[in-house]
């Protein structure tokens, strides 16, 4: 069963891999001056599966986190 599922996923993963950044809801802490948490995801659109995630460093942006994400 696992091998059949894995073969099915291989076919789906040949689809588009979307790279997108998202802010984690309610992760900002204004009282302690802590910024919101930002993640960059690699998402297999056909499989509807997140392949990898990378946290974006504080005082940075998605562009700097994408190479780290792609190194997985």
């Amino acid at each position: 069963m696992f091998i059949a599922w894995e073969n099915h996923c291989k076919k789906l993963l040949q689809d588009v891999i979307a790279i997108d950044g998202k802010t984690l809801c309610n992760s900002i802490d204004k009282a302690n001056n802590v910024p919101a948490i930002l993640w960059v995801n690699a998402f297999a659109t056909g499989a509807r599966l997140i392949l990898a995630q990378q946290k974006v460093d504080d005082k940075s942006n998605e562009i700097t986190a994408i190479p780290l994400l792609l190194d997985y």
Side-chain angles (χ1 to χ4, degrees):
M1 288 287 265
F2 179 76
I3 292 172
W5 176 79
E6 183 181 18
N7 288 333
H8 178 71
C9 285
K10 284 181 186 177
K11 292 177 188 174
L12 291 174
L13 292 178
Q14 292 176 0
D15 201 1
V16 175
I17 305 297
I19 306 293
D20 190 26
K22 297 291 180 193
T23 302
L24 194 62
C25 289
N26 299 320
S27 62
I28 193 165
D29 184 0
K30 290 181 182 179
N32 294 313
N33 200 24
V34 177
I37 297 171
L38 181 64
W39 288 96
V40 176
N41 300 313
F43 182 73
T45 58
R48 298 182 186 181
L49 180 70
I50 293 177
L51 302 174
Q53 291 182 315
Q54 177 65 45
K55 185 178 182 288
V56 178
D57 292 331
D58 293 342
K59 298 182 182 179
S60 186
N61 59 33
E62 296 173 17
I63 301 299
T64 60
I66 290 173
L68 299 173
L69 175 74
L70 296 176
D71 282 341
Y72 279 119

